[in-house]
Amino acid sequence: MTTNNLSYQFKTANVLVKLIAINAVIFIAVRLLSFLLQIEPQNLVKWFVLPDGVSEFILQPWAFLTYGFLHFGFFHILFNMLWLYWFGRIVLNLFSERRLLTVYLLGAIMGGLLFVLSYNLFPVFENTRGYLLGASGAVMAVMVFMASYAPNTEVRIFTFTIKIWHIVAVKIVMDLLQLTSGNNAGGMLAHLGGAIFGFVYARQLLKGNDIGLWFEKIMDGVANLFKTRKQKPFKKVHRNKATQSKSKRSPLKEDKSAHQQKVDAILDKIGKSGYESLTKAEKDFLFNAGNKNES
């Protein structure tokens, strides 16, 4: 009964909760197996971390994604998941679950790409060998994406409020300082790769260009492979010409257009004045609109 209950809760949870749960379960499973089998964690998951050598990562291209779900240290996963939870909730207030997942996964991929490129191009890493793991690049992409899209959004910390772009700016400066000091350079490169992607994605989205749309289509295609015939929507529809001509002038399209215009107006207001500037009615409208768009 408990197992069924947990399974139901996972299926009905939003994508943010699912990402945190997957990271936590993998962390516990790796620690438990390494203890029971008396194997070092890095040897247990060596085919899922991202190595820096071309001859190595070319044999395990899936590592560009899987490394983003692996953590060895407790505080490593704790702070990553806390950052993801705080900023992921803000993203879900404005966008669909699919977009949050796209930013997270593509952020991990871009963080991994900057890591392997840097370790194979720059002389400073010539005598350094290593591998990459952790969700930091993906989490950084989510943070910078939100801070770039709506920089004036404010969050309350204890008794004072602060704009989210201030938080992200401080974190990036700290990462740059760690990178130049040589402390965990690979991890800091992943942070920067995710941050660059998050910034570019947000700025392009503000211009009306969704550069993550192709990835969303790939995710939909992969998801459809695992759906049964009953789960797939029945698309066969019979229409006559009269019905088609009426549907072209359907009021539903006009209503949808007006609905989207109102959403865009609220998002523009957030970008200029922050989330806290919205009225309660606007917040409720945006929340309901976000729920309708969830995948």
Side-chain angles (χ1 to χ4, degrees):
M1 185 66 181
T2 304
T3 303
N4 291 336
N5 188 38
L6 287 174
S7 175
Y8 174 77
Q9 289 182 4
F10 180 81
K11 288 179 180 178
T12 55
N14 63 43
V15 71
L16 176 60
V17 174
K18 288 179 180 178
L19 284 173
I20 294 173
I22 291 171
N23 275 280
V25 169
I26 292 175
F27 173 74
I28 294 171
V30 170
R31 294 293 290 266
L32 184 60
L33 284 174
S34 63
F35 170 75
L36 293 175
L37 301 176
Q38 291 297 289
I39 300 174
E40 290 295 325
Q42 56 265 34
N43 293 328
L44 187 65
V45 297
K46 64 181 180 180
W47 283 101
F48 301 98
V49 297
L50 182 61
D52 61 0
V54 177
S55 60
E56 295 173 285
F57 70 71
I58 200 170
L59 297 176
Q60 51 189 86
W62 56 83
F64 280 96
L65 272 178
T66 57
Y67 88 89
F69 292 90
L70 294 170
H71 301 82
F72 289 166
F74 173 74
F75 288 104
H76 187 197
I77 186 173
L78 175 63
F79 286 108
N80 272 343
M81 295 303 102
L82 285 175
W83 284 119
L84 178 60
Y85 177 73
W86 289 329
F87 278 81
R89 288 178 62 191
I90 302 175
V91 173
L92 290 181
N93 279 335
L94 302 179
F95 302 102
S96 68
E97 293 187 16
R98 185 188 279 109
R99 177 151 294 157
L100 174 60
L101 184 60
T102 297
V103 176
Y104 183 93
L105 295 180
L106 283 179
I109 293 173
M110 296 306 169
L113 281 173
L114 185 60
F115 165 74
V116 297
L117 286 174
S118 298
Y119 267 65
N120 287 279
L121 291 177
F122 298 122
V124 68
F125 302 114
E126 196 171 288
N127 298 319
T128 305
R129 306 297 300 172
Y131 55 84
L132 182 66
L133 77 159
S136 301
V139 173
M140 199 66 178
V142 173
M143 294 173 66
V144 174
F145 171 80
M146 199 63 250
S148 301
Y149 190 88
N152 294 317
T153 301
E154 295 180 335
V155 293
R156 192 169 185 82
I157 301 177
F158 300 114
T159 59
F160 59 93
T161 58
I162 186 171
K163 293 180 179 179
I164 59 174
W165 79 265
H166 294 156
I167 299 173
V168 174
V170 170
K171 197 168 189 316
I172 290 176
V173 170
M174 292 175 64
D175 287 345
L176 290 172
L177 291 175
Q178 279 191 272
L179 175 62
T180 54
S181 67
N183 185 17
N184 188 22
M188 297 307 105
L189 287 168
H191 289 200
L192 294 177
I196 292 170
F197 170 74
F199 174 78
V200 172
Y201 192 2
R203 301 312 297 178
Q204 287 299 309
L205 202 59
L206 287 169
K207 296 177 181 178
N209 303 320
D210 188 352
I211 63 174
L213 190 59
W214 64 273
F215 190 75
E216 292 183 10
K217 291 180 179 178
I218 291 176
M219 287 194 297
D220 288 341
V222 173
N224 285 332
L225 293 176
F226 296 95
K227 287 183 179 179
T228 62
R229 182 171 293 183
K230 291 182 179 180
Q231 292 174 313
K232 293 180 180 179
F234 185 68
K235 295 183 179 180
K236 190 174 181 180
V237 178
H238 296 281
R239 293 181 181 176
N240 55 37
K241 292 183 179 180
T243 304
Q244 288 179 343
S245 61
K246 287 181 180 180
S247 65
K248 290 180 181 179
R249 296 186 298 272
S250 173
L252 291 176
K253 290 187 177 181
E254 296 178 4
D255 292 343
K256 186 176 180 181
S257 177
H259 178 274
Q260 187 59 46
Q261 287 177 6
K262 189 171 181 179
V263 171
D264 292 340
I266 294 175
L267 292 179
D268 288 339
K269 185 175 180 181
I270 292 173
K272 294 177 181 177
S273 307
Y275 181 74
E276 294 302 323
S277 66
L278 300 183
T279 64
K280 184 179 184 303
E282 288 173 331
K283 290 180 181 178
D284 291 340
F285 178 84
L286 194 60
F287 178 78
N288 292 330
N291 285 339
K292 290 179 181 178
N293 290 330
E294 287 176 358
S295 58

